[in-house]
């Protein structure tokens, strides 16, 4: 497959040139292999433009998508590029904000990325999830920490006024919450032993911890697990089938895992992760889910997705988000 060949060639050349895995800043000497596109697997009217997959993302939802120095970058962009390659199509990426349904209805995009499985999807078909998520508790990797029982009040850092902060007070009471202004501070406190856990959205937390170079592991879920999916118009059965097959392929051959590792420092699996049961009603009126319904803690990581992600994926993003 074109994207798999491209990723594999880039990984190998990057290792030979720099001694590091692909996507690290400073490996400018590696040359990227750019094989020709295969035959298109879908054509108009299944897609809006011949030979091109038009993809909608939300650039306020980092690290799924954000604005780099020259283009839109992120997990969703890389996965969309892999899907496009499977379908023999080039890729264009557009910021559609939070209203992917409107973009599909107006025909400005063929698919939208980053749609949560738990969201109301009237008028939109959703694929199987390509990335699991949910509010979780992180502990230091190798600490041996187990899910808190409430017998002893744990010290849990969470970004102030976030859904994660609400989940902490709901499960363990206000005394357990150590509010921080951002996730960078929360993971720094975890690394120093000032807190026992950090509560965060799983994807955003993994990204923030990776940026801070703090090895972490997921201990438990604080709410029901969800996941990010590809959205397609509910009336476009041919494209639904093509996306489902392409996504299954890039999941099965390991491309999605490579992309996760690049952005998050590892892969996320919430299978078998225990879930904390709520033990108390939240008393903090500020600890509410963001009004726009966006994933918890997004503000603290959006700026870093535009700066550090831009440097860490400069080679990859130029191919995945360009036309």
């Amino acid at each position: 497959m074109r994207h798999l060949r491209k990723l594999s060639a880039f990984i190998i050349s990057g290792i030979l040139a720099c001694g590091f895995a692909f996507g690290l800043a400073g490996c400018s000497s590696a040359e990227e292999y750019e094989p020709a596109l295969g035959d298109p697997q879908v054509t108009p009217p299944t897609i809006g433009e011949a030979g091109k997959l038009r993809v909608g993302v939300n650039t306020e939802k980092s690290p799924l998508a954000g604005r780099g120095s020259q283009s839109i970058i992120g997990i969703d962009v890389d996965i969309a590029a892999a899907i496009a390659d499977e379908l023999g199509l080039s890729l264009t990426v557009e910021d559609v904000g939070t209203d992917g349904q409107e973009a599909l209805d107006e025909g400005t995009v063929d698919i939208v990325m980053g749609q949560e499985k738990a969201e109301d999807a009237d008028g939109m078909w959703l694929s199987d999830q390509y990335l699991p998520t949910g509010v979780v508790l992180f502990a230091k990797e190798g600490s041996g920490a187990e899910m808190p029982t409430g017998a002893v009040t744990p010290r849990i850092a969470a970004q102030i006024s976030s859904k994660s902060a609400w989940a902490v007070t709901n499960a363990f009471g206000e005394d357990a919450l150590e509010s921080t202004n951002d996730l960078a501070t929360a993971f720094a406190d975890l690394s120093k032993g000032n807190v026992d856990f950090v509560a965060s959205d799983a994807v955003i937390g993994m990204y923030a911890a990776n940026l801070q170079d703090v090895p972490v592991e997921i201990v438990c879920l604080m709410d029901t697990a969800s996941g990010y999916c590809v959205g397609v118009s509910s009336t476009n059965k041919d494209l639904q089938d093509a996306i489902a097959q392409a996504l299954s392929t890039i999941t099965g051959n390991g491309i999605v895992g490579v992309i996760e590792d690049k952005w998050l420092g590892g892969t996320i699996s919430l299978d078998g992760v225990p879930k904390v049961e709520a033990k108390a009603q939240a008393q903090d009126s500020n600890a509410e889910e963001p009004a726009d319904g966006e994933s918890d803690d997004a503000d603290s990581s959006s700026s870093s997705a535009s700066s550090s992600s831009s440097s860490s994926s400069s080679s990859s993003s130029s191919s995945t988000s360009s036309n």
Side-chain angles (χ1 to χ4, degrees):
M1 304 307 173
R2 176 176 176 265
H3 194 77
L4 181 58
R5 293 197 303 271
K6 184 193 299 183
L7 281 173
S8 298
F10 187 66
I11 290 170
I12 293 170
S13 62
I15 290 172
L16 292 175
C18 308
F20 292 103
F22 94 116
L24 294 182
C27 300
S28 57
S29 60
E31 295 183 2
E32 184 179 351
Y33 172 51
E34 187 79 42
L37 283 172
D39 294 332
Q41 302 301 303
V42 287
T43 57
T46 301
I47 52 176
E49 295 183 36
K52 185 179 297 183
L53 184 66
R54 303 167 304 155
V55 177
V57 299
N58 180 4
T59 58
E60 298 299 318
K61 208 168 186 177
S62 63
L64 297 181
R67 292 195 177 276
S69 59
Q70 297 180 336
S71 58
I72 298 174
I73 59 177
I75 297 172
D76 279 354
V77 178
D78 286 356
I79 291 178
I83 291 172
D85 289 340
E86 279 297 318
L87 298 178
L89 305 172
S90 63
L91 177 73
T92 60
V93 180
E94 178 181 340
D95 181 10
V96 298
T98 59
D99 203 341
Q101 182 66 67
E102 181 179 353
L104 289 174
D105 291 343
E106 293 178 351
T108 58
V109 298
D110 301 307
I111 66 173
V112 287
M113 304 294 292
Q115 303 302 299
E116 287 197 53
K117 199 70 170 179
E119 293 175 351
D120 184 6
D122 288 345
M124 184 188 301
W125 171 88
L126 294 179
S127 71
D128 290 339
Q129 68 180 36
Y130 55 82
L131 188 63
T133 194
V135 177
V136 301
L137 285 188
F138 289 98
K140 289 177 65 175
E141 187 176 71
S143 66
E146 298 181 352
M147 181 175 69
T149 63
V152 176
T153 301
R155 301 171 300 165
I156 305 174
Q159 186 177 339
I160 191 170
S161 302
S162 66
K163 185 168 70 172
S164 297
W166 178 87
V168 171
T169 57
N170 195 44
F172 301 107
E174 293 185 9
D175 290 344
L177 179 63
E178 301 284 343
S179 295
T180 63
N181 290 327
D182 51 54
L183 280 177
T185 302
F187 282 107
D189 286 344
L190 180 67
S191 179
K192 295 172 184 175
N194 296 336
V195 295
D196 304 311
F197 304 97
V198 171
S200 169
D201 172 88
V203 174
I204 297 173
M206 285 280 287
Y207 177 68
N210 190 41
L211 288 179
Q212 292 291 308
D213 197 25
V214 178
V216 295
E217 57 190 19
I218 294 173
V219 173
C220 60
L221 278 158
M222 298 290 287
D223 67 359
T224 301
S226 179
Y228 294 115
C229 311
V230 182
V232 180
S233 172
S234 60
T235 62
N236 195 339
K237 182 66 167 57
D238 289 343
L239 188 55
Q240 293 169 21
D241 292 343
I243 294 297
Q245 180 58 52
L247 190 58
S248 175
T249 298
I250 66 173
T251 300
N253 65 19
I255 289 179
V256 171
V258 170
I259 294 170
E260 278 189 78
D261 189 66
K262 166 189 164 184
W263 287 93
L264 308 178
T267 58
I268 296 176
S269 175
L270 299 179
D271 294 339
V273 174
K275 179 183 173 183
V276 171
E277 298 298 332
K279 301 181 185 304
Q281 294 297 316
Q283 300 298 317
D284 183 357
S285 61
N286 290 324
E288 298 178 353
E289 184 175 356
D292 63 0
E294 182 177 320
S295 293
D296 148 76
D297 309 315
D299 288 344
S300 70
S301 60
S302 59
S303 61
S304 57
S306 299
S307 55
S308 60
S309 297
S310 176
S311 62
S312 67
S313 61
S314 57
S315 298
S316 172
S317 64
S318 63
S319 63
T320 57
S321 60
S322 61
N323 183 1

